[in-house]
Amino acid sequence: MQNTQWSRLEAMMALLSPTARNGTGPLARLMREGGLHCVFQPLADLREGCIYAHEALIRGPKDTPLHTPDVLLDLAQQEGILQDFELLCVFKALSQWGRHEAPGRLFVNISADALVHGVALVGPDQLGETVRSFGVSARMLVLEITEHERVTDMPQLRQAIKAVHACGARVALDDFGDGRSSLRLWSEVKPDFVKIDKYFVHDISDHPENLQMLQAIKGIADVFGTQLIAEGIETSDDLRALRDLDIPFGQGWLLGRPAPAPREAVDGPALEVMQDRRVAVLPHLGQTARPGILRSLLVVQAPTAAPGTSNDAVAAMFHKHQGLHALAVVDGTRPVALINRQQFMNHYATLYFREVHGRKPCIAFANNAPRVVELDCDVDQLVGILTSQDQRYLSDGYIVTDNGRYLGLGTGDQLVRAVTETRIEAARHANPLTFLPGNIPISLHMQRLLESGTEFVACYADLNNFKPFNDHYGYWRGDQMIRLVARLATAHCDARRDFVGHVGGDDFMLIFQSSNWLQRCKNIVHDFAREAITLFDEPARQAGGIQAEDRHGVQRFFPCTTLAIGAVRITPGRFRHAEEVANLAAVAKHEAKQAATGVVLYGGFTESSLGALAATRALQDVLAA
């Protein structure tokens, strides 16, 4: 067997370049002496929790400077034998894998140019037979294209990949997203697999931006029909998040480290995560300021004046366009000033104005510091107009430009409406007071739980007697109390298992997968009662409450504010839509507000009556308001 392996190595070396066969560099000598070997790292099926494949990773002699692949690749570049080295690595991987006779696919790294050279070396028609000669089924081989150098001939690469597919083997694209990988290469190669660079995987449970990037990559994979593999999985939290994102395959130290022989199962901690049906609490990315908000607004296509346009001509334009609130003064395509209709016409109507100023340039009666807003501005820039001390911006409106060129005018009422709508939409994603997820993320998380078939507990938390407190002490202290609820709920919930959302006002949703949810809720209620009392003044603390007006304007006594939590246990298959869960949780909240304990597990109604009961409660709320 040893002689056969040595003979095959000599035959392989004979196919390589004279530099590799005769070179005096340390790598060339190592290649000829058979000093390279492969270790194998598992790739797991994240849905099934089993080993799907192994990747062959090249190594030099242990306990030497030539052991790591990075050093070997650097030497290959220096000695001018990079393609020879890559082809020998493929040879080593096939040789060792064939001896193990292990099930599953084998991933082998190779650059695009080395793949083209290798296919040409053995012949496209002989590729499958060459792979099988190592005792490896071609259909179980995946050639993983790396980009240590750029593709020099795309048509030749396409032909090489055609030969790979013809023999039954598959193609993967390595390290997508690392800066060297190319979306065009993905489109051109149409790989069967794409490996997502570990940058987007590491600590994904704490980085909502990377989560969104992964979702975008998933969308591209769906377009091309590509299977995704997440690299660099090192923590249980990241594995759980990737599994719940429905990334099909993964690789990383948590699943299994590289070893001389293939393994039959993933490591225990990873297997526990994949078998645990609890859903990950994915990182939340609030709705941030939307660039291009003006694109959704009506921009007034108004005529313009030049700096030298006469006041008489401006007056004529205002007479012709009765609905025009202002007129932009534009020098070429660049806006330089703004003329307010009302102010200008008041001047124009004064005695002797036409005779003295009628033929003079209008720039003298214009606002030379108008508010100019780019079409692609974000909402924070628009808020700056509303909060500016110079309120001319609301009456004059503002000038809209596209890449610095005059486009039209915007009005103050449009501005107020746009900012209000944008803030409302943002609050549905992230509450601006507590920064907790708003209604949309709450609903999305509940829907994921329902679709996963996971049992969970939905809790609706609300404050008793909050309105009198807020009216009595003012909104500033009211906000303090709401932030107190947010802080305590977040502190007592398991960030990896439980979801805390802020519906709005003093209403919160707590969605538990923790088995000790009831104790957590009791702790929140207890700590709130202990800390909230400090927000009342001393006389109120002594009296146990405050005198305030009720909803009908009648003065009466209200006990100190407490927290009520209504809970409902959601079992698999009971509901299909998040709205149904939210309605039932709202009913549970009403029951909790009437209970002395502060926490009520609701479950006294059949599902057929829940919709009617929720509607009744909602109507009661409207009438009470």
Side-chain angles (χ1 to χ4, degrees):
M1 178 68 73
Q2 188 76 21
N3 291 336
T4 303
Q5 293 175 22
W6 187 255
S7 298
R8 295 200 69 162
L9 175 62
E10 289 181 329
M12 177 65 197
M13 291 299 301
L15 296 175
L16 302 182
S17 69
T19 305
R21 295 197 306 269
N22 305 314
T24 58
L27 180 59
R29 292 199 304 271
L30 196 65
M31 290 166 59
R32 291 195 299 269
E33 295 167 359
L36 299 173
H37 68 280
C38 285
V39 291
F40 301 95
Q41 185 174 23
L43 284 73
D45 184 324
L46 303 187
R47 296 162 177 162
E48 300 297 328
C50 60
I51 297 293
Y52 175 75
H54 285 80
E55 180 181 358
L57 304 169
I58 199 67
R59 296 289 186 269
K62 287 184 179 180
D63 302 322
T64 72
L66 303 182
H67 180 65
T68 63
D70 289 342
V71 172
L72 295 173
L73 284 168
D74 287 343
L75 282 175
Q77 289 273 20
Q78 295 170 21
E79 297 179 25
I81 54 173
L82 182 58
Q83 282 192 11
D84 299 298
F85 171 68
E86 289 190 68
L87 293 177
L88 187 65
C89 289
V90 175
F91 167 83
K92 285 289 184 182
L94 293 174
S95 299
Q96 288 184 227
W97 189 254
R99 292 198 297 273
H100 285 298
E101 297 182 349
R105 296 182 185 273
L106 175 68
F107 281 66
V108 180
N109 293 299
I110 189 168
S111 69
D113 286 354
L115 176 60
V116 170
H117 180 62
V119 171
L121 204 61
V122 301
D125 297 333
Q126 298 299 313
L127 190 58
E129 185 58 37
T130 301
V131 173
R132 286 188 289 273
S133 70
F134 290 93
V136 178
S137 170
R139 65 184 181 84
M140 302 305 287
L141 175 64
V142 181
L143 293 174
E144 187 174 322
I145 298 176
T146 60
E147 286 199 276
H148 299 295
E149 53 183 313
R150 300 191 65 82
V151 178
T152 57
D153 194 323
M154 187 61 74
Q156 284 191 356
L157 177 60
R158 284 198 295 266
Q159 288 299 314
I161 290 174
K162 184 178 179 180
V164 170
H165 281 144
C167 78
R170 294 289 176 259
V171 173
L173 186 62
D174 189 27
D175 292 335
F176 184 79
D178 73 343
R180 295 175 298 177
S181 57
S182 162
L183 187 57
R184 180 188 171 186
L185 184 63
W186 190 341
S187 177
E188 293 270 12
V189 170
K190 294 181 174 56
D192 304 279
F193 303 91
V194 164
K195 284 189 167 183
I196 305 168
D197 186 68
K198 61 185 178 182
Y199 171 82
F200 297 105
V201 173
H202 182 65
D203 285 343
I204 186 177
S205 52
D206 295 321
H207 292 88
E209 296 84 1
N210 287 356
L211 175 69
Q212 289 202 332
M213 282 298 300
L214 273 182
Q215 290 172 328
I217 293 172
K218 272 195 66 182
I220 299 171
D222 290 340
V223 170
F224 290 117
T226 307
Q227 298 271 49
L228 292 178
I229 302 168
E231 294 185 292
I233 303 174
E234 296 182 2
T235 69
S236 297
D237 291 332
D238 290 343
L239 176 57
R240 191 184 301 275
L242 291 164
R243 182 204 65 184
D244 289 353
L245 281 172
D246 202 27
I247 304 295
F249 305 110
Q251 183 177 7
W253 284 2
L254 182 71
L255 299 163
R257 291 175 178 261
R263 61 173 65 217
E264 296 181 357
V266 297
D267 283 347
L271 188 59
E272 289 178 10
V273 172
M274 288 185 280
Q275 292 177 343
D276 180 2
R277 300 324 303 167
R278 288 180 296 180
V279 171
V281 179
L282 298 177
H284 167 64
L285 182 64
Q287 178 86 343
T288 54
R290 289 187 296 141
I293 183 176
L294 289 181
R295 295 189 185 277
S296 63
L297 294 181
L298 176 64
V299 177
V300 180
Q301 304 295 319
T304 63
T309 301
S310 70
N311 290 311
D312 286 337
V314 169
M317 280 191 273
F318 278 133
H319 281 301
K320 182 179 179 180
H321 302 278
Q322 291 295 322
L324 196 61
H325 69 285
L327 190 69
V329 181
V330 178
D331 185 2
T333 61
R334 182 175 62 89
V336 294
L338 190 67
I339 301 174
N340 178 280
R341 177 193 186 93
Q342 183 176 352
Q343 293 175 358
F344 178 84
M345 295 307 291
N346 287 342
H347 285 301
Y348 198 75
T350 58
L351 191 63
Y352 303 123
F353 182 93
R354 301 180 192 183
E355 291 78 6
V356 177
H357 301 287
R359 297 182 181 182
K360 292 182 179 179
C362 64
I363 195 71
F365 293 91
N367 173 11
N368 292 303
R371 193 63 181 242
V372 180
V373 179
E374 265 290 316
L375 194 63
D376 285 324
C377 76
D378 62 44
V379 71
D380 288 333
Q381 292 174 273
L382 299 181
V383 171
I385 300 177
L386 294 181
T387 58
S388 170
Q389 292 183 352
D390 190 347
Q391 290 301 294
R392 286 183 303 170
Y393 296 138
L394 286 180
S395 58
D396 292 1
Y398 50 93
I399 298 173
V400 181
T401 57
D402 189 1
N403 201 24
R405 298 182 179 87
Y406 173 79
L407 188 65
L409 299 177
T411 64
D413 61 335
Q414 286 178 328
L415 175 62
V416 172
R417 185 167 60 252
V419 171
T420 302
E421 290 175 353
T422 302
R423 287 305 192 202
I424 291 173
E425 177 64 18
R428 297 176 67 208
H429 290 264
N431 190 280
L433 177 61
T434 62
F435 303 107
L436 289 174
N439 292 339
I440 288 178
I442 293 170
S443 296
L444 290 175
H445 184 70
M446 284 197 292
Q447 195 63 44
R448 288 175 55 232
L449 287 165
L450 292 174
E451 292 172 358
S452 72
T454 301
E455 181 174 321
F456 63 98
V457 177
C459 297
Y460 202 128
D462 187 21
L463 293 175
N464 296 315
N465 302 322
F466 174 70
K467 186 178 185 302
F469 173 87
N470 197 55
D471 292 344
H472 185 78
Y473 290 106
Y475 76 92
W476 181 260
R477 203 177 293 187
D479 287 351
Q480 281 185 284
M481 185 169 281
I482 291 174
R483 283 194 290 264
L484 173 61
V485 178
R487 176 171 61 80
L488 293 175
T490 304
H492 285 293
C493 288
D494 183 341
R496 304 305 185 200
R497 303 287 178 267
D498 310 323
F499 184 98
V500 180
H502 190 172
V503 177
D506 59 328
D507 291 359
F508 291 80
M509 281 292 295
L510 314 178
I511 304 170
F512 288 97
Q513 294 179 84
S514 295
S515 58
N516 60 342
W517 65 269
L518 181 57
Q519 187 58 52
R520 292 176 185 270
C521 286
K522 289 181 178 179
N523 292 342
I524 295 170
V525 170
H526 175 270
D527 286 359
F528 177 83
R530 177 171 49 82
E531 295 192 37
I533 195 70
T534 63
L535 297 176
F536 289 82
D537 55 28
E538 184 58 31
R541 288 198 292 270
Q542 293 292 334
I546 56 175
Q547 291 287 337
E549 289 186 355
D550 62 16
R551 295 179 183 273
H552 304 289
V554 178
Q555 281 278 335
R556 66 183 184 87
F557 180 79
F558 289 92
C560 290
T561 307
T562 57
L563 181 64
I565 300 178
V568 58
R569 192 187 302 277
I570 306 300
T571 54
R574 188 178 182 189
F575 299 105
R576 294 179 58 191
H577 303 292
E579 182 182 3
E580 299 173 272
V581 177
N583 286 340
L584 183 57
V587 175
K589 176 198 73 171
H590 281 277
E591 300 300 317
K593 287 175 74 70
Q594 299 174 15
T597 59
V599 182
V600 168
L601 175 61
Y602 181 79
F605 287 82
T606 61
E607 291 170 23
S608 61
S609 65
L610 293 179
L613 181 58
T616 301
R617 296 295 190 186
L619 179 59
Q620 290 173 349
D621 283 346
V622 172
L623 293 176

